[in-house]
Amino acid sequence: MKRLLDRLIRLSIGTKLSLSFVFIVLLTSIPISALMIVWLEDTLKEYIRDTIKKEIASRENDVRNAILNGDYWTVFKQVDALARLKGIKDVAVIDGMGFVIAHSDPMAYPIGSYLPNYMELERISIDSYNQPIGYIVFRIDHKAIESSLFPLKLISVGFTSLFLFLGVSMGFFVSMRISSRLRKTLRMMDNFEKGKLERVEFVEKDEINTFADYMYKSLLRINTMINNSLFERDFYQSLVNSLQDILLILGTDGKIYYTNKVVNKLGFTYEDLLCRSVFVLIEDEKDRKRLRMKLRSGEAFTEGIKLRARNGEIHAVISFTPVENAIIVSIKDITEFKRMEALYMLGEMSTGLAHELKNALLPIKLLSDVSNWDEEDVKVMRSAISRIDHTINAVLSFADTGKHPEESVSSKELIDSWLYLYEPLIKSKGIRLNTHIEDFSFFVNKYAFQVVFSNLFKNALEAVEKNRGRVDVYMRRSNDRVILTVEDNGPGIPSKYRDKVFEPFFSTKGNRGTGLGLSLVLKYTYEMGGYLQMETQDGKGTRFIVEVPLKDEKKGLVGR
């Protein structure tokens, strides 16, 4: 049944209309024809009954007298005459017990034979002095009635067939008309897709005409919106292409789906990058890993990276901004700025180094004119040479580009060894030291990590007041990061110096420092792929937070 319904649903509209008309014709004509034939049949039977009853009434005296006189021949002639009436099958006269006195078919039912009660007999009594002396029984000839009604049935079938033909034809005509008008409406939509919009008109003002008018008005509105969108697209595309920065639009899978023309500066075209991962543009493997990790967080971020280009690598700042079902990426070329920054830093370092060496050499120059040195002069000379050595070692450490091996270290042993080293300074200044070190092993550039911690810890010890100072050291692991925090309750870094504390040779300690400590911290933190955060308040102290990726010797980055 379900399969039949599915097939009916898939039929064309013409077939459905034709079947609907056929169903309506059959539903109306067949019952009406059947009722009419039944009514005519009943009417004809009633007419036959009335006719034979009248005829019996006219012959009743003759039949009565013949029965009373025992004149069975006369009775038979009366029965035979009645049986010849149209629509009568047979007629008989029987007594009260059902035995035949006379029958129109004497061979089948001779005189004295019993006439069964189960036969469809209609009886009329023959009375004498109000007492029945016999009965005239008869049967209607149904075949004769059906034969007389047969032409009427043929006419009914003919009219029904005619109506069916007209219904199918009407369904076909209506469906053809509907299909024609729908095709014109669809043609209007096809022409709209090709850039041509024309209104269709119909003679019939019905629902299809209303639908076509509605479609035309809708297409007109869509056409207006498309034109506006095309204008906006051209405008914004021109605007985006006029930007100096590279603009990319990524899917949530990190693949490139749009680039502006600025990407041509890298030596790539839009077609080169379409549907490729954005990470093909990033030169360094560490940068790619770091960006993948941050991209998984679903938050906006900005990073400094090296871009891959056909004519070499480019220094850039890349920004990822997740939006709904997409990621907008902005890439700014800072290669020239890096060059200028490097030249500026080189100049600053040269000036700082010259200033430091000049100050360190001044005592030596003054003592060069003294012929006899006493013990105090020797101390001054040794202090000046030590300062020169310290300055040169710091510069060499800052300029160090050698690759230090990564090794497995214990967090507690690493920190405790440096705490032990600075124990004399801690005791001499009466500093209260609080440590919270989780004991775990991790894989790291040990040299770089020691430089970072030693400089931060030494700065904290030197920043606090004697007998009132407090330094807190925290080290823990969090998911895939190692987090080191060094905090002091010193005077804090003045706001006017906060933007300069990471510059080489900048120091607020006077002759006690080289100004390279925090520069080294920043350098080695970045070399370990980590982040450095500074928090400071005037009069309340300073906190440095270092985060570096947690690694193990076999798998590399944890959680990658």
Side-chain angles (χ1 to χ4, degrees), residues 59-73:
R59 298 172 183 269
E60 183 177 1
N61 289 331
D62 295 336
V63 174
R64 182 185 303 112
N65 292 332
I67 293 173
L68 290 173
N69 295 325
D71 187 0
Y72 294 149
W73 176 249

Side-chain angles (χ1 to χ4, degrees), residues 485-488 492-493 498 533-537 541-545:
T485 304
V486 179
E487 183 176 358
D488 65 68
I493 300 173
R498 290 172 189 170
Q533 182 180 353
M534 180 184 73
E535 300 173 0
T536 184
Q537 289 184 343
T542 303
R543 177 192 296 141
F544 286 93
I545 302 171

Side-chain angles (χ1 to χ4, degrees), residues 69-88:
N69 295 325
D71 187 0
Y72 294 149
W73 176 249
T74 301
V75 176
F76 173 74
K77 287 194 294 183
Q78 295 295 332
V79 168
D80 185 60
L82 291 172
R84 295 179 185 278
L85 293 174
K86 190 174 181 179
I88 299 300

Side-chain angles (χ1 to χ4, degrees), residues 45-62:
K45 287 179 181 178
E46 194 63 33
Y47 172 75
I48 293 170
R49 288 191 188 96
D50 291 342
T51 301
I52 196 170
K53 285 178 181 180
K54 289 179 182 178
E55 192 66 30
I56 290 171
S58 66
R59 298 172 183 269
E60 183 177 1
N61 289 331
D62 295 336

